[in-house]
Amino acid sequence: MNVYPTIHNQSDSFGLPVYEARGREFYPTVHNNRDSFGLPIYEIRGGQLYPTVHNSKDSFGLPAYEIRGQQLYPTIHNSSHAFGLPVFELRA
């Protein structure tokens, strides 16, 4: 499963996958300009994505995104995206 930016995402290139889901972790793809390639940046816990220790942009221990259906919404703890609009879409 890949994670694509939506039109509400001002940080990432539209149309290219920026994360790849492997099990319960999200890894940056080569199209990701913000995160280090090869290390897991987020992990799924319940219906939320939490930053891993390899994530230098979001607060460790606080959920950065909430999964709602096939979209990811930033939480109030997210420092990269504005709260309220879906910024990523999950695609198989």
Side-chain angles (χ1 to χ4, degrees):
M1 179 175 306
N2 288 319
V3 180
Y4 288 79
T6 67
I7 58 170
H8 306 294
N9 185 328
Q10 303 298 313
S11 314
D12 299 295
S13 300
F14 186 72
L16 300 171
V18 291
Y19 295 105
E20 176 185 8
R22 297 183 203 162
R24 301 198 55 78
E25 296 179 319
F26 280 50
Y27 287 78
T29 67
V30 294
H31 307 295
N32 187 317
N33 299 329
R34 296 181 301 130
D35 301 306
S36 300
F37 184 73
L39 299 170
I41 299 299
Y42 296 104
E43 73 177 352
I44 299 173
R45 292 190 218 158
Q48 298 179 323
L49 292 181
Y50 284 78
T52 67
V53 295
H54 308 295
N55 186 326
S56 61
K57 294 171 185 57
D58 296 304
S59 299
F60 185 72
L62 299 171
Y65 297 98
E66 179 180 354
I67 301 169
R68 297 184 200 167
Q70 294 295 92
Q71 296 182 321
L72 300 179
Y73 286 77
T75 67
I76 57 171
H77 309 293
N78 189 305
S79 60
S80 302
H81 298 103
F83 181 73
L85 297 171
V87 292
F88 292 110
E89 177 179 72
L90 301 170
R91 296 184 200 168

